[in-house]
Amino acid sequence: MIATLVADVPRRGLVLLLLLLAALVAAPLLVNDYLLTVLILILYFAYAGQAWNIMMGFAGQLSLGHALYVGLGAYTAAALFFHFGLSPWISLPLALAVSGLVGAIMGLLAFRFGVAGVYFAILTIAVAEFARIGFDHWSWVGGSAGLFVPVANYTQNDLWTLRGSPRMFYYVILALTVLALLVCRLLLKSRAGYYWQAIREDEDAARALGVNTFRYKMYAVVLSAAMTSLAGIFFAFYYNNLFPEQVFTIGRSIELILGPIIGGLGTLIGPIVGAFLITGLAEALHEAMLRIGIDVPGAKQVFYGVCLLVVVMALPHGVWPPLRRLLGLDPKTSGKGKA
Amino acid sequence: MPAEIYLNVAVNGLLTGLVYGLMALGLSVIFGVVRVVNFAHGEMMALAMYATVAAFTSLGLDPFLMLVPVAAALFVLGYALQAGVINPFINRPEHSQFMLLVAVAIILVNIQLIVFGPDARSVQTSYSFDSFQIGKLIVDASKVYAAATALLIAGALFAFFRFTILGKAIRACADNYAGALVVGLDVKRLYALTFGIGAACVGAAGVMLSLVIDVTPSLGPAYTLLAFVIVITGGLGSMPGALLGGVLVGLTEALAGLFYTPSAKGMFAFGLLVLVLLFRPQGILGKKLG
């Protein structure tokens, strides 16, 4: 397995990646509290972007409603903790199952009935909106008044109930991000990964070659949904409050997909680079504006929009592919004559 | 509940639905010809509504006077958007175009938030609280005016595409891209014109809708989705379908508000969308998907 993980990764790339990891592990000792929260946000988007990338980047199925799975994971774990005091680690399988099931139902309906492309994207938004309004009217999970995760022992790090300091949350999300990168690498190099890429490039051709496109698209949706709901659990316990208006909104879904699109669709490092770029720049902008003394809600989002516009227009494959070339990590130039 | 309540609610839903139909018509025209999904549709409409409200509150201009100027301004915006930003993307993958318009939508909605703030704004005309009474039926006057205007504009648009040379040229681009190029049509200019016409439609719809509902920045994304629901229900690319879908969604929303709770009305509209996508993905009046 380790051989598959590192096979034909340029040594320089591996070294750079390990250096980055070492820097991230050491970061909480070096940075202040504010920067730590920014780093948590970056890693959160890197993780969630990686999960979304399975569906769109690998298998070519555009989901614009991934906030749905974040929300499902968040609400499952938070509601069970709130009502029964269940640890998020116990709720975890249930949260994954709920999200996977919802993803499966949506995939089943869409792929069986031939809903594809733009229609599929709109279906994903519609289901997320449906969930938003549904949760707004579901009083067991707080309805539109919100669900609040109790914050009893904030002074003490408790990994079992995920109650603790930002530093603990930082290491949790860092571990998740590393795990997601490894899982995605293995997936991409597996049979399913190659089938997904075939489907992404030309679905009819893939089917003609005997790929069960329905089954593999289903795998992508279910996996992506389940992985995304894990981000949701983190979200719930890190922020301690959940409002349907904020959790399921289309804005959240868009925020989530900016990283992989700006970083580079279908690449493994793209979602991470994208998350660093977009969140880092947005926070820097926010900070700079505070310094000048203007605090306008919406300015950050205008910035997101402009970034997205510029990247989609100027760098259709995202930032990472050209950056990779710049770093001399291109598989074509650094490979050892392997086809 | 007495029967006339149902009838009242249904008629009001139907009238609002016609304005929705005009909004969706814009989206449908753009998709039908340019094959680009205008993800910034609701945001454009909110822009038109803000322009109407601003003209009314600062200059005292009646929304009906603003109909032509706002539609013209939106036409220019749509034309510029297609000519400047989208035309170079005609041959890019679908999701790439989609993301482009998502970016435009994000920018538009947040500029509205920065300029106008998060509070709801509305137009209070001298006829805001007028109503017509026909037997036991009571109908909002503003809604009647708005729906009648929407129908009129939709009719004019049908006539334009049916009978004018320009309308025929645009339809030619929609029917056969290569063929249109071969007979010497300036397809890119026609695309820009089409996007402009679609934007003008949604601009006019926005002016009319400002008589009926308050405008907030969050209205944009909500109405983008609603416009999608309507055109997909009616049939993406079908003009009568957009009007029919608008009426259906208007009715669904109104009746859901009556039977369940107004805040959940969107859920029923999305439920309608899911049903249509599953059982008739081309929409009620849409042509079979190729």
Side-chain angles (χ1 to χ4, degrees), chain A residues 53-330:
Chain A
N53 201 30
I54 295 179
M55 225 172 121
M56 177 61 199
F58 296 179
Q61 305 302 311
L62 177 57
S63 162
L64 289 177
H66 252 48
L68 170 68
Y69 307 120
V70 175
L72 288 176
Y75 266 104
T76 307
L80 290 178
F81 185 70
F82 179 79
H83 287 290
F84 310 116
L86 280 185
S87 153
W89 302 104
I90 294 179
S91 317
L92 177 73
L94 186 68
L96 297 190
V98 167
S99 285
L101 188 71
V102 170
I105 292 171
M106 188 150 67
L108 190 73
L109 294 176
F111 303 145
R112 265 290 174 247
F113 288 85
V115 179
V118 172
Y119 291 87
F120 180 72
I122 292 166
L123 181 68
T124 61
I125 304 177
V127 176
E129 283 292 297
F130 197 84
R132 176 177 67 82
I133 304 169
F135 274 80
D136 245 346
H137 291 87
W138 188 14
S139 54
W140 192 71
V141 295
S144 55
L147 181 66
F148 296 88
V149 181
V151 279
N153 51 350
Y154 201 77
T155 47
Q156 199 180 337
N157 285 343
D158 185 352
L159 204 56
W160 177 242
T161 55
L162 268 190
R163 309 281 69 203
S165 63
R167 193 172 281 189
M168 181 194 78
F169 281 103
Y170 174 80
Y171 283 115
V172 169
I173 194 70
L174 179 60
L176 282 180
T177 310
V178 172
L179 202 68
L181 177 66
L182 298 180
V183 167
C184 284
R185 165 82 191 175
L186 285 176
L187 281 174
L188 204 55
K189 293 286 158 193
S190 70
R191 175 187 293 260
Y194 288 109
Y195 282 179
W196 283 336
Q197 292 170 69
I199 293 170
R200 179 188 70 197
E201 294 305 321
D202 192 332
E203 190 171 337
D204 292 330
R207 197 181 302 121
L209 286 171
V211 176
N212 187 341
T213 55
F214 173 76
R215 174 185 296 177
Y216 281 91
K217 284 197 291 188
M218 287 296 284
Y219 286 165
V221 175
V222 171
L223 253 170
S224 178
M227 266 178 79
T228 309
S229 68
L230 199 52
I233 299 180
F234 177 84
F235 183 94
F237 284 81
Y238 178 57
Y239 287 108
N240 297 317
N241 61 70
L242 294 172
F243 296 92
E245 284 307 320
Q246 290 171 14
V247 175
F248 290 104
T249 170
I250 169 101
R252 285 270 175 222
S253 299
I254 300 284
E255 227 171 57
L256 212 136
I257 70 179
L258 284 173
I261 288 182
I262 285 173
L265 268 182
T267 64
L268 291 168
I269 308 296
I272 301 172
V273 172
F276 266 97
L277 263 180
I278 192 89
T279 313
L281 283 175
E283 286 300 325
L285 178 83
H286 184 66
E287 198 63 9
M289 286 196 341
L290 280 183
R291 289 274 162 75
I292 311 168
I294 36 172
D295 184 16
V296 217
K300 192 156 111 183
Q301 281 73 19
V302 172
F303 169 77
Y304 281 159
V306 172
C307 280
L308 188 62
L309 195 67
V310 168
V311 169
V312 173
M313 289 186 84
L315 297 167
H317 301 291
V319 172
W320 176 238
L323 186 66
R324 180 171 57 189
R325 213 164 304 131
L326 215 66
L327 291 172
L329 299 174
D330 236 351

Side-chain angles (χ1 to χ4, degrees), chain B residues 16-277:
Chain B
T16 314
L18 282 170
V19 184
Y20 285 175
L22 179 62
M23 161 185 83
L25 198 58
L27 188 69
S28 195
V29 163
I30 295 170
F31 181 81
V33 178
V34 190
R35 295 276 141 193
V36 162
V37 181
N38 181 16
F39 204 78
H41 208 67
E43 285 78 357
M44 286 179 163
M45 194 182 75
L47 200 64
M49 291 176 78
Y50 272 120
T52 313
V53 172
F56 182 81
T57 45
S58 59
L59 302 170
L61 289 172
D62 189 90
F64 282 96
L65 286 175
M66 292 303 293
L67 200 57
V68 175
V70 169
L74 264 287
F75 176 87
V76 172
L77 175 71
Y79 190 100
L81 198 62
Q82 176 71 32
V85 179
I86 306 169
N87 263 342
F89 273 72
I90 288 302
N91 296 319
R92 289 273 197 90
E94 213 171 39
H95 73 262
S96 188
Q97 299 170 351
F98 209 62
M99 294 320 302
L100 199 67
L101 282 149
V102 167
V104 173
I106 296 174
I107 296 171
L108 273 181
V109 71
N110 286 291
I111 287 178
Q112 286 165 14
L113 179 65
I114 293 171
V115 174
F116 297 103
D119 298 329
R121 289 168 184 242
S122 64
V123 174
Q124 294 295 335
T125 56
S126 54
Y127 47 88
S128 273
F129 297 106
D130 288 1
S131 58
F132 298 122
Q133 190 160 11
I134 310 156
K136 281 184 173 173
L137 195 67
I138 301 164
V139 192
D140 238 359
S142 305
K143 279 187 184 161
V144 173
Y145 301 147
T149 313
L151 264 184
L152 209 68
I153 295 171
L157 206 65
F158 285 129
F160 168 76
F161 280 113
R162 190 109 216 117
F163 301 117
T164 66
I165 294 286
L166 197 59
K168 283 178 184 166
I170 289 176
R171 279 195 294 141
C173 295
D175 287 343
N176 192 332
Y177 177 77
L181 282 173
V182 168
V183 298
L185 293 177
D186 185 352
V187 174
K188 288 207 164 164
R189 195 180 68 89
L190 289 171
Y191 274 3
L193 269 176
T194 309
F195 207 109
I197 290 169
C201 267
V202 77
V207 176
M208 292 298 99
L209 215 53
S210 67
L211 289 169
V212 181
I213 54 172
D214 298 349
V215 55
T216 64
S218 60
L219 203 71
Y223 274 75
T224 297
L225 286 174
L226 199 68
F228 281 132
V229 172
I230 292 167
V231 272
I232 291 174
T233 305
L236 205 46
S238 152
M239 291 176 56
L243 281 183
L244 178 68
V247 169
L248 271 180
V249 167
L251 274 176
T252 309
E253 280 197 341
L255 292 176
L258 179 64
F259 286 116
Y260 187 43
T261 154
S263 57
K265 62 184 187 180
M267 215 158 106
F268 290 86
F270 291 121
L272 185 69
L273 170 78
V274 172
L275 285 180
V276 168
L277 273 180

